Amino acid sequence: MARAARIIRHWRGGLAMLAIAVLGGCTVGPAFHRPEVPLGTRYRPPGERVPGEQLAPTRLRERAALGVGPSGAWWRLFRSQQLDALVRQALADNHDVAAARSALARSRALVAVGASGRYPVVGFNAGTGRKKYGAEFLGPNAFAPFSYLAAGISVAYRLDYLGQERRTVQRSRALEQYQRSEFDAARLMLTGQVASEAVDIATARAEIHAVRSLLREDHANLRLVRAAVAAGSEPQLDVLTAQTQLASDATLLPPLYQKLTTAQHALAVLLGRTPATWRLPGLAVGQLHLPGRVPVALPSLLLKRRPDILAAEAQLRAATAAVGVATANLYPQITLSGTLSEAALRPVHLFDASSLGWSLISGLTAPLFEGGKLHAERRAALDVLHERADLYQQVVIGAFGQVADALDALRHDAELRAAQARALALSRRRVHLERASYQAGNTGLLPVLDAQRQRERAELGLLGAERRQYLDTIGLMLAAGGRVDAKPTDRPGALTAPRGSVLRSSPGF
């Protein structure tokens, strides 16, 4: 107990000095301020029409609903179990998302590395050696060579009276938030790509079905013309005309098949598979449903939802902290170090009270002349801060522009879809009348084929308009603050790997 009391008395003064320095510390450099951006309460000028209002049928009518934005898994608004399964599989197995997850875990570890500078460094030292002192140092009665043993602890601490270490931790945490936003952006982008490819696949299949129906009608026309020519009521030229139409329409299929396979291959890659090892189950347009209302985050909430805005803000925070670090480097640095050790000539005396020794040292280092390096580094840090502030404002303004474009796209898509639906209904009616007139012998074959071509263009145009409507709805959900449900494996520090990765195949991890 007496020995412990002596040790406490030896260190009491140093600990008091340390506490006073820490408690009296300050933080140099600018505080973080989010740049002013004119938000408003709208994305478009007042007086514009609501998307889809009084233009599209009820099944495809969409309205933008300003509020908190899409919640949870935004793609579930399409009410498709197959799409939900595809997105979930992609989030689990996509390698780009896995790489972003690893980058996030690394940034978490770097936060711990930066935070370690705020604590003392404690070490244990032990050793043995042999010495001899010369006569000039100890006189004519110099000792003979001797062996010794030593053991003790050492403590070193740099006083953070300027907040340099705190700024370093702030910067590390800001960079961690940047990686979190990049991870969220990777997942959000992946969900949008999967949904878009699924729409392309479903649309391509519908277009192929429409062209096949058209080819069946072409074959029916050819049989009808041949029967009329055999009866002598139509010229032989009509047979050639019908065959030409059939051959022309047959050229529509190969590009559509290529479009389908390209989309299927792209979706397989997004799911972390090779095209040869994965085949998409049946996915039709009828299995997707446009939401009646598209939730759009208010401008003030968009700043807290879009990953790119949050990433730009995190970089701005990191740049602000870096200015503080560069500013602290201009001032003196104070360090405290101490040792508590035992030294003896024989092991039995190593821990005797007489062998106890200690030291407490304070040090100060200050820059006197470094060729202007430290001041230049601070100016560079300030320039980076101004750069990040401008980039943040540009990202926010660009995000508002994307939402405005997507809102206008929905309105125009609804108008186009309604126009294509009317054109298809009229063209179908015309085909029916022209075919009946031809069978009655009142008109030739050319009006029938012309009406059929009009119907073909209208049907494919309607499918294209519906595809555009789905894709622009996806774009609006992503631009307006779409979210991806977080799973336990997505939390920072919980590193997972996609199927077949080295982390899962190596037993050493």
Side-chain angles (χ1 to χ4, degrees):
M1 294 297 294
R3 183 179 181 185
R6 287 196 301 270
I7 295 175
I8 292 175
R9 285 197 302 270
H10 290 157
W11 285 86
R12 184 179 298 165
L15 293 175
M17 293 173 57
L18 178 62
I20 293 172
V22 172
L23 294 176
C26 62
T27 303
V28 297
F32 172 78
H33 294 288
R34 187 179 292 109
E36 293 291 336
V37 180
L39 298 179
T41 58
R42 301 174 59 90
Y43 292 101
R44 298 178 301 158
E48 292 189 2
R49 289 175 296 176
V50 177
E53 185 175 9
Q54 297 179 351
L55 291 174
T58 302
R59 186 175 68 88
L60 293 176
R61 183 184 300 165
E62 290 180 288
R63 296 177 185 271
L66 290 178
V68 297
S71 60
W74 64 266
W75 60 89
R76 290 179 179 170
L77 293 174
F78 289 108
R79 291 173 291 157
S80 172
Q81 293 182 353
Q82 285 187 313
L83 177 60
D84 182 67
L86 290 173
V87 172
R88 291 295 180 182
Q89 183 179 352
L91 290 173
D93 296 338
N94 182 268
H95 292 280
D96 288 333
V97 170
R101 185 183 293 112
S102 298
L104 175 58
R106 180 192 66 221
S107 67
R108 276 248 200 285
L110 292 178
V111 170
V113 172
S116 64
R118 301 182 61 180
Y119 301 97
V121 177
V122 181
F124 173 77
N125 305 303
T128 182
R130 187 168 179 79
K131 287 184 179 181
K132 178 182 183 303
Y133 293 104
E136 184 176 352
F137 183 72
L138 293 178
N141 297 321
F143 290 130
F146 64 93
S147 300
Y148 70 94
L149 299 167
I153 60 173
S154 62
V155 180
Y157 180 72
R158 187 173 69 171
L159 296 183
D160 192 27
Y161 73 101
L162 296 175
Q164 184 178 28
E165 297 298 336
R166 291 191 292 274
R167 290 294 197 180
T168 301
V169 174
Q170 289 175 5
R171 184 175 183 272
S172 298
R173 287 175 177 169
L175 294 178
E176 179 204 358
Q177 181 56 50
Y178 169 77
Q179 290 296 342
R180 158 61 67 181
S181 300
E182 289 292 291
F183 174 59
D184 292 340
R187 300 176 77 224
L188 184 61
M189 182 63 66
L190 176 64
T191 60
Q193 291 174 334
V194 171
S196 297
E197 295 298 343
V199 168
D200 282 342
I201 290 172
T203 303
R205 286 175 171 170
E207 290 173 338
I208 291 173
H209 177 76
V211 172
R212 285 176 174 172
S213 298
L214 176 64
L215 293 177
R216 287 193 293 269
E217 290 188 4
D218 287 342
H219 283 288
N221 288 339
L222 182 58
R223 290 192 297 269
L224 180 64
V225 170
R226 283 174 174 168
V229 170
S233 58
E234 298 295 338
Q236 184 66 33
L237 181 61
D238 283 359
V239 175
L240 182 60
T241 302
Q243 290 174 334
T244 302
Q245 182 65 31
L246 175 60
S248 177
D249 291 339
T251 62
L252 299 175
L253 277 180
L256 293 178
Y257 281 121
Q258 178 63 30
K259 175 182 176 181
L260 175 61
T261 56
T262 299
Q264 288 176 333
H265 297 167
L267 185 56
V269 172
L270 292 175
L271 269 60
R273 310 291 183 84
T274 62
T277 59
W278 180 81
R279 180 177 294 276
L280 175 71
L283 183 64
V285 174
Q287 296 172 329
L288 300 172
H289 306 277
L290 286 175
R293 287 184 176 270
V294 181
V296 179
L298 291 168
S300 58
L301 295 178
L302 194 66
L303 302 181
K304 303 176 183 179
R305 294 181 63 94
R306 282 199 36 147
D308 56 342
I309 296 179
L310 295 176
E313 179 181 330
Q315 288 183 317
L316 181 59
R317 289 182 182 274
T320 303
V323 174
V325 173
T327 303
N329 289 335
L330 300 174
Y331 296 90
Q333 306 294 323
I334 302 176
T335 58
L336 291 177
S337 61
T339 60
L340 182 66
S341 62
E342 301 266 358
L345 298 179
R346 289 184 294 175
V348 295
H349 299 301
L350 183 61
F351 296 102
D352 288 349
S354 59
S355 63
L356 176 66
W358 64 270
S359 67
L360 180 63
I361 303 172
S362 63
L364 183 146
T365 58
L368 296 179
F369 177 76
E370 75 296 327
K373 173 187 174 183
L374 297 180
H375 287 83
E377 288 178 344
R378 186 178 186 276
R379 289 196 302 270
L382 285 171
D383 291 336
V384 172
L385 176 60
H386 298 152
E387 174 192 0
R388 294 302 180 188
D390 288 330
L391 290 177
Y392 172 81
Q393 291 174 306
Q394 189 60 40
V395 169
V396 173
I397 294 174
F400 288 176
Q402 290 178 0
V403 176
D405 290 343
L407 289 171
D408 285 334
L410 280 193
R411 182 187 69 187
H412 300 146
D413 291 341
E415 294 173 349
L416 177 61
R417 198 274 168 193
Q420 289 288 355
R422 290 193 297 269
L424 179 59
L426 293 174
S427 64
R428 284 174 175 172
R429 179 63 177 168
R430 183 190 171 193
V431 167
H432 176 73
L433 294 177
E434 293 288 358
R435 186 169 292 162
S437 179
Y438 177 77
Q439 290 176 335
N442 297 328
T443 59
L445 180 62
L446 289 180
V448 176
L449 298 181
D450 181 68
Q452 190 170 302
R453 281 193 297 270
Q454 292 291 337
R455 198 276 311 276
E456 165 200 330
R457 285 195 294 268
E459 189 165 359
L460 294 179
L462 179 59
L463 290 173
E466 292 183 354
R467 171 183 176 273
R468 188 74 263 160
Q469 202 168 19
Y470 278 105
L471 294 180
D472 286 337
T473 301
I474 293 172
L476 177 58
M477 289 184 182
L478 299 183
R483 290 289 182 88
V484 179
D485 278 342
K487 299 186 297 181
T489 54
D490 295 330
R491 295 172 185 166
L495 179 61
T496 59
R499 181 183 290 105
S501 77
V502 66
L503 292 183
R504 288 187 178 176
S505 60
S506 300
F509 285 89

